Amino acid sequence: MKLKPVQSEKDIKIADADARVRHRKRLPHSVKTAAEKEGDRIAQLQRLLYADRRYALLIVLQGRDASGKDGTIRKVFTSVNPQGCEVSSFGVPTELEQRHDFLWRIHIRVPARGMIGIFNRSHYEDILVPRVHDQIDKDTLRDRYRQINDFERYLVENGTVLLKFMLHVSPDEQRTRLEERLLDETKNWKFRVGDLDDRRHWDEFSKAYHGILKNTSTEYAPWYIVPADDKDVRDWLVARTIADALDDLDLRYPTADPAIKGITIE
Ligand code: ATP
């Protein structure tokens, strides 16, 4: 079983039931072990990505509160050399960021060739938040989709491989996770009162995500919808998609400088 990119509207499956894999038979015997193996594959390929220096890999993670963005980063990249990896989290824009175009703070965090960049939230918040709170008109929304597609095309044409994951949780699973944050004192710090407000806007978020998936899943920067109620399944599917994308790049170590041939070290 593999995640498929969103290629048309019929691929946008974000009903509550889609947050779980229907046919468990299609999963490996131990999903946790399979996820760890894919993580190790990413670590091996990251070494090669770094040496090769032709491409950067940018992973965009989006999802509702408690959909597991932090957990995915922790698990999927656990074996990766930290020197080759940068995580950027995007919260409410600062005063300075608001004085710039919405892609300004994003572009400066795009990874250099040889590096993996992970975005915990992203420029897609600039569609989600104003849409959910009814603060964006149709023309501006259409412009933003186009600007995002142009920006992502530009990145890809300049050596960035871009994979976008929407972690899809059901309302029941979100409730369980938010309750855990309230009850477990080691998780209290993760609870924001604003999360409840966002939860009340469930349908508006679904509509906003639907618009994003429909308008910005492109051949060059595809969206993948991840059934994320089960954490091991989520990690396995995301890790596998990333490892396969790195594999497809046909990465290689640079050829050695001819000057080093025949050198002996005394
Ligand atoms: P998370 O919920 O992602 O685990 P957190 O609770 O620690 O993180 P922050 O990372 O400080 O919170 O900020 C996340 C919040 O910032 C989210 O509510 C998100 O919607 C909001 N946010 C991010 N980007 C924007 C944006 N461009 N415009 C408005 N709000 C934004």
Side-chain angles (χ1 to χ4, degrees):
M1 182 186 171
K2 283 186 182 189
L3 292 178
K4 290 200 189 89
V6 172
Q7 288 173 320
S8 69
E9 205 163 353
K10 71 169 174 32
D11 298 327
I12 305 174
K13 299 202 169 88
I14 49 172
D16 298 351
D18 299 319
R20 290 199 157 267
V21 170
R22 277 161 219 251
H23 307 289
R24 301 282 305 178
K25 278 190 190 143
R26 294 170 66 198
L27 296 174
H29 175 62
S30 167
V31 184
K32 203 181 181 70
T33 309
E36 283 163 8
K37 275 194 189 146
E38 295 298 335
D40 290 344
R41 238 177 107 209
I42 295 174
Q44 301 275 336
L45 288 159
Q46 185 271 329
R47 216 176 125 75
L48 210 45
L49 178 82
Y50 190 81
D52 183 300
R53 294 277 166 119
R54 282 180 299 157
Y55 303 102
L57 175 64
L58 175 57
I59 307 298
V60 168
L61 291 176
Q62 282 289 158
R64 298 168 191 270
D65 297 313
S67 58
K69 299 183 287 296
D70 293 317
T72 305
I73 297 170
R74 201 172 56 244
K75 297 279 185 47
V76 170
F77 297 96
T78 200
S79 306
V80 169
N81 180 347
Q83 288 188 101
C85 201
E86 292 163 345
V87 181
S88 306
S89 300
F90 297 97
V92 177
T94 63
E95 208 184 312
L96 175 66
E97 286 167 351
Q98 284 178 35
R99 285 163 56 204
H100 285 272
D101 65 274
F102 76 101
L103 292 171
W104 176 75
R105 67 174 184 162
I106 305 295
H107 201 169
I108 50 173
R109 300 299 304 168
V110 168
R113 291 188 197 100
M115 299 289 290
I116 297 179
I118 304 158
F119 283 2
N120 182 347
R121 302 186 187 269
S122 66
H123 40 303
Y124 288 100
E125 293 292 317
D126 287 280
I127 291 192
L128 284 168
V129 178
R131 249 205 105 170
V132 167
H133 298 287
D134 223 359
Q135 294 160 341
I136 190 165
D137 58 66
K138 275 199 174 133
D139 288 347
T140 315
L141 182 64
R142 205 190 43 232
D143 288 349
R144 278 200 187 171
Y145 288 141
R146 178 181 47 76
Q147 287 155 359
I148 286 176
N149 286 335
D150 288 348
F151 169 67
E152 292 183 350
R153 181 192 286 274
Y154 170 80
L155 295 182
V156 172
E157 285 178 354
N158 283 279
T160 303
V161 175
L162 182 39
L163 305 175
K164 302 179 293 198
F165 296 95
M166 185 229 170
L167 306 185
H168 175 46
V169 280
S170 64
D172 284 351
E173 180 63 22
Q174 191 199 47
R175 185 197 298 111
T176 305
R177 293 184 192 177
L178 290 177
E179 278 172 355
E180 229 172 80
R181 290 180 183 184
L182 280 176
L183 298 174
D184 179 344
E185 63 181 30
T186 67
K187 292 187 179 172
N188 285 169
W189 63 276
K190 281 187 148 198
F191 190 87
R192 273 188 324 122
V193 179
D195 292 350
L196 295 182
D197 191 39
D198 286 351
R199 186 172 158 80
R200 275 182 221 112
H201 287 100
W202 190 274
D203 292 342
E204 288 90 337
F205 269 102
S206 299
K207 256 187 225 153
Y209 267 114
H210 190 277
I212 286 172
L213 295 161
K214 181 177 163 199
N215 289 286
T216 64
S217 192
T218 54
E219 209 184 311
Y220 51 90
W223 273 107
Y224 295 90
I225 301 168
V226 185
D229 271 10
D230 180 317
K231 296 176 183 176
D232 291 334
V233 171
R234 171 199 77 197
D235 296 339
W236 174 58
L237 290 170
V238 170
R240 188 168 194 196
T241 308
I242 295 172
D244 286 350
L246 284 169
D247 238 348
D248 285 348
L249 292 176
D250 192 24
L251 298 165
R252 38 184 193 265
Y253 289 107
T255 45
D257 181 345
I260 69 170
K261 285 239 165 79
I263 290 182
T264 51
I265 302 186
E266 291 172 17

